[in-house]
Amino acid sequence: MTDQVLIIDFGSQVTQLIARRVREAGVYCEIVPFQSAEEGFHRLNPKAIILSGGPASTSEMGSPRAPQLVFDSGLPVLGICYGQMTMCVQMGGKAEGSDHREFGRAYVEIQKDCPLFEGVWKDGERHQVWMSHGDRVIEPPEGFEILARSDGAPFAVFGNPERKTYGMMFHPEVVHTPDGAKLLSNFVHKVAELAGDWSMAAYKDQAIEAIRAQVGDGRVICGLSGGVDSAVAAVLIHEAIGDQLTCIFVDHGLMRLNEAEQVVSLFREHYNIPLVHVDAADTFLSALEGETDPEKKRKTIGRLFIEVFEAEAKKVGGAEFLAQGTLYPDVIESVSFTGGPSVTIKSHHNVGGLPERMNMQLVEPLRELFKDEVRDLGRELGLPDAFVGRHPFPGPGLAIRCPGGVTREKMDILRQADAIYLDEIAKAGLYDAIWQAFAVLLPVQTVGVMGDGRTYEFVCALRAVTSVDGMTADFYHFDMDFLGRAATRIINEVRGINRVVYDVTSKPPGTIEWE
């Protein structure tokens, strides 16, 4: 196994971004909540440790702490925001609440050169960072020195280069700190002196061996959703165990235009993977008709998917393992580190195990990967780039892009509008510049004049966002010519829509979907 970094999570909403930046630097890492950090330390045997930010204050009674072995281990340690605060207090320094809080863009003045800044910042320079704190260090631990300061944080960065231990008040993991990724890369390479030899090709080989070791001569059933995650998981497992794998594709009638046919063609004809295709559109659409609550929609779709899948799995028979395309963010967010709303947000992911009645073991070869890493793995496995590079699509499908009741007629209208919109984006050469784009059929009808007659038809909303991490998003700035072309085609070609609007909402950390 390559060198590993342990990230101890104190509840920051952007802890995942720390892991992404470390992996982008070619170093494998895992996140563990502070409550189980000691177990994670012994399991991973890390070569360096990062302490995340979090919403607590070290001045509060019972606020989170890192295990003392972190500081006694002699390993390189980097504390970020709250991580710096608890590092300071636990190592004998002092921190307190401040009247000069800093939230958002700020500037630090570099006070001294150090390995953490090598090739990035120099003594005397001033650089933009992203702050989010109400506490500050007032007295660093013995042996630590000021490396950078800001207006609200006299110890914006402190460190003890001999101990290879540093703390910073700002968040280097977010894009709003322009040099943040370089600083994290410096920590793992210059400070911790890790090799940076973790790659997706190496991961593929390790995953194949792990699948073979787990499954042996057993049989595996994989539930295909039509999305990238389950597809990559299926191809990876098939490469490991061949025809011991059977895929079940439950077509719930809520997919994009021609998507079901593309999935069947890819797996049956291109990869020759045994595939059961179940057309269950009538079952799903009948159950959803009249349902307007988005969370009930999700739960209905999830329940029916399990029921249909179980029925088909029994027909296949003899399988001891169930494969899922669970990703690392699903695993992280299924654990409520600080009592947050993650369980509700991720309610459509099955990361909590299987119903006992299924009597099967889980095979989850992607549970250590982020979405972009899954795409890279798909390319390593030879999946077409047009497939692995597709915009993210929600598990509940178009049902959550159709606020209000869901009917077959509405799904057909939405599918056509969505396909035209994506086609125009592709023709304009913008598909890869946009993180996610889709159409939404609003539960609103308006009077319009088309030709010589009045119409009373639906309003279609178009959404397109840019994002580097899926955590935050900003709307894509189309020019009016593009929006005019897309709207004109949708109104002319899709019967049932007479008005098109563009959504210019930006999203803070959280869901990017419409509902």
Side-chain angles (χ1 to χ4, degrees):
M1 188 64 181
T2 58
D3 293 340
Q4 302 183 80
V5 172
L6 173 67
I7 300 171
I8 299 178
D9 184 16
F10 291 101
S12 169
Q13 60 186 341
V14 290
T15 299
Q16 290 185 32
L17 300 187
I18 302 173
R20 291 173 65 91
R21 302 296 171 255
V22 171
R23 291 189 183 186
E24 287 166 4
V27 177
Y28 183 75
C29 62
E30 287 190 22
I31 300 170
V32 299
F34 69 88
Q35 299 97 323
S36 56
E38 188 166 344
E39 179 277 329
F41 181 93
H42 293 300
R43 175 173 56 84
L44 288 176
N45 189 28
K47 296 297 177 64
I49 299 168
I50 298 176
L51 310 178
S52 86
S57 169
T58 52
S59 60
E60 297 171 350
M61 185 70 69
S63 56
R65 294 290 186 266
Q68 190 58 38
L69 62 81
V70 167
F71 308 111
D72 296 340
S73 66
L75 295 174
V77 181
L78 174 65
I80 295 172
C81 198
Y82 181 84
Q84 184 195 36
M85 295 295 103
T86 194
M87 170 194 290
C88 175
V89 172
Q90 290 185 246
M91 298 185 74
K94 295 180 181 179
E96 65 177 12
S98 171
D99 293 332
H100 192 146
R101 300 183 301 172
E102 290 179 303
F103 293 96
R105 185 178 292 106
Y107 292 88
V108 295
E109 297 175 359
I110 312 307
Q111 305 294 301
K112 187 175 182 180
D113 294 332
C114 68
L116 190 64
F117 299 160
E118 187 176 324
V120 184
W121 292 348
K122 292 182 179 179
D123 183 12
E125 293 181 343
R126 188 169 181 264
H127 292 276
Q128 178 186 315
V129 297
W130 190 262
M131 294 282 194
S132 182
H133 70 91
D135 290 3
R136 64 178 180 177
V137 173
I138 59 172
E139 183 181 319
E142 185 178 350
F144 283 68
E145 55 190 346
I146 300 175
L147 300 173
R149 61 181 300 129
S150 70
D151 289 343
F155 296 89
V157 182
F158 68 32
N160 184 329
E162 289 186 6
R163 291 191 58 150
K164 299 185 176 181
T165 301
Y166 297 87
M168 54 181 62
M169 198 65 259
F170 57 87
H171 288 270
E173 67 271 31
V174 301
V175 295
H176 313 297
T177 299
D179 297 320
K182 296 176 183 177
L183 295 174
L184 286 169
S185 178
N186 270 359
F187 174 70
V188 296
H189 295 310
K190 305 291 186 181
V191 177
E193 300 180 354
L194 306 185
D197 55 357
W198 188 71
S199 68
M200 199 47 59
Y203 183 88
K204 182 190 79 169
D205 294 339
Q206 292 170 5
I208 288 173
E209 290 304 313
I211 292 166
R212 289 171 178 166
Q214 180 185 5
V215 173
D217 296 329
R219 295 187 61 194
V220 180
I221 290 178
C222 178
L224 281 181
S225 68
V228 174
D229 307 336
S230 62
V232 172
V235 173
L236 178 65
I237 293 169
H238 186 255
E239 184 155 328
I241 61 172
D243 288 350
Q244 291 170 242
L245 169 71
T246 299
C247 291
I248 297 177
F249 172 42
V250 177
D251 181 0
H252 49 34
L254 306 170
M255 302 184 74
R256 291 172 286 204
L257 188 67
N258 300 324
E259 196 165 42
E261 293 84 351
Q262 292 168 5
V263 171
V264 172
S265 174
L266 179 68
F267 282 84
R268 280 187 179 162
E269 298 173 17
H270 184 75
Y271 282 101
N272 198 30
I273 297 176
L275 174 67
V276 177
H277 178 203
V278 187
D279 184 354
D282 289 341
T283 300
F284 282 82
L285 291 172
S286 296
L288 291 169
E289 190 166 358
E291 181 57 71
T292 60
D293 183 88
E295 190 63 19
K296 290 182 179 178
K297 285 183 187 178
R298 290 177 180 274
K299 290 180 178 178
T300 297
I301 294 167
R303 173 180 57 80
L304 288 176
F305 184 92
I306 291 174
E307 290 176 1
V308 174
F309 182 87
E310 277 190 276
E312 294 300 322
K314 287 178 181 177
K315 294 177 185 178
V316 173
E320 301 98 334
F321 299 90
L322 173 66
Q324 291 187 163
T326 306
L327 302 191
Y328 197 38
D330 302 335
V331 176
I332 297 167
E333 293 175 24
S334 67
V335 179
S336 184
F337 295 144
T338 57
S342 60
V343 174
T344 299
I345 293 171
K346 307 298 289 186
S347 61
H348 57 291
H349 286 287
N350 178 22
V351 294
L354 299 171
E356 289 185 9
R357 65 179 182 274
M358 293 191 73
N359 194 31
M360 300 173 78
Q361 297 180 48
L362 279 176
V363 179
E364 298 174 304
L366 311 181
R367 66 180 287 119
E368 297 173 350
L369 300 182
F370 290 101
K371 189 78 172 187
D372 56 333
E373 294 170 334
V374 172
R375 296 187 194 280
D376 290 342
L377 178 57
R379 295 182 181 99
E380 282 285 336
L381 291 164
L383 275 161
D385 195 65
F387 189 88
V388 296
R390 289 191 306 181
H391 292 175
F393 190 63
L398 296 178
I400 61 168
R401 295 177 181 174
C402 182
V406 175
T407 65
R408 186 182 293 273
E409 178 190 15
K410 286 184 176 180
M411 287 296 96
D412 288 340
I413 292 172
L414 179 53
R415 252 188 289 273
Q416 293 176 61
D418 188 70
I420 291 170
Y421 180 38
L422 294 178
D423 181 56
E424 285 297 319
I425 288 174
K427 286 179 178 176
L430 299 174
Y431 191 86
D432 292 337
I434 295 169
W435 191 81
Q436 186 184 49
F438 54 86
V440 177
L441 193 67
L442 298 181
V444 175
Q445 289 179 283
T446 64
V447 174
V449 176
M450 300 177 71
D452 295 320
R454 289 184 179 275
T455 61
Y456 186 60
E457 296 178 333
F458 288 105
V459 177
C460 175
L462 304 180
R463 178 127 171 89
V465 297
T466 58
S467 180
V468 296
D469 48 45
M471 295 290 292
T472 61
D474 193 11
F475 67 91
Y476 188 81
H477 293 253
F478 287 121
D479 61 50
M480 293 305 296
D481 288 341
F482 172 86
L483 290 174
R485 288 195 305 273
T488 299
R489 274 196 64 190
I490 290 171
I491 291 171
N492 286 344
E493 298 178 31
V494 183
R495 187 174 296 276
I497 294 175
N498 68 2
R499 194 176 305 275
V500 176
V501 298
Y502 183 57
D503 176 11
V504 294
T505 308
S506 297
K507 289 286 185 181
T511 180
I512 297 176
E513 280 297 338
W514 188 269
E515 290 185 345

